[in-house]
Amino acid sequence: MGRGWGRGAAILALLALPAQAQDAPAGLFAATNKQDLPEIILSAGEPLGPPWVLKSGTYYEVEITSDGSQELALSGPDFFRAIWIDEIVIEGLEIRPLGLDSVEFDEAGTMEIGFIAIKPGTYTLRTPQGGETQTLRITIE
């Protein structure tokens, strides 16, 4: 008799929880804490885009696409150490790195990086041989 009541009480307790608490992640991974950033397009001699202003503790996703015009890298060791990388997705494959200095495209393609901005400061992402026009300035507040 006691066994059936214990299971029933557990089920009732779960039903009493708000639907959001049962189905959605909370805190840093909550949908309300996620923002998409403008895509970064890597192309020979082309600018990377306007500056970003990020908020510490917010989850961001960015797509980085190379048009294949030449072999291009995107470097930013200081920036990559100021964020926590959740995952990098390339053609449906998920990579969960401990750290990152740069990414490189040998041919055309797209990767998506999901991360949480952590350490406030001013950072840059740049193509190593691209000069100032191929630099993306990033501020984490």
Side-chain angles (χ1 to χ4, degrees):
M1 187 186 245
R3 293 169 90 190
W5 175 249
R7 253 187 249 140
I11 291 171
L12 286 174
L14 282 175
L15 291 175
L17 290 174
Q20 180 181 3
Q22 293 177 31
D23 298 330
L28 294 175
F29 293 102
T32 56
N33 191 48
K34 180 183 148 205
Q35 292 186 16
D36 290 328
L37 293 168
E39 180 179 24
I40 296 172
I41 298 177
L42 297 177
S43 183
E46 294 298 318
L48 296 180
W52 294 349
V53 177
L54 310 178
K55 184 178 176 192
S56 181
T58 300
Y59 187 97
Y60 295 95
E61 287 185 349
V62 60
E63 286 190 350
I64 303 170
T65 300
S66 173
D67 67 1
S69 57
Q70 75 181 54
E71 192 172 308
L72 289 166
L74 190 60
S75 179
D78 291 342
F79 171 69
F80 288 125
R81 283 173 184 77
I83 64 175
W84 176 77
I85 300 172
D86 176 36
E87 66 182 5
I88 300 171
V89 181
I90 304 168
E91 294 185 17
L93 302 172
E94 296 179 5
I95 303 162
R96 300 189 189 277
L98 286 174
L100 196 62
D101 281 339
S102 63
V103 295
E104 185 172 328
F105 290 81
D106 292 339
E107 56 189 47
T110 298
M111 71 174 60
E112 181 179 282
I113 300 178
F115 66 91
I116 296 173
I118 302 291
K119 185 178 175 186
T122 302
Y123 307 96
T124 58
L125 288 176
R126 68 180 68 231
T127 58
Q129 284 81 25
E132 283 301 308
T133 61
Q134 289 194 298
T135 298
L136 175 64
R137 304 216 183 280
I138 303 165
T139 301
I140 299 177
E141 298 177 334

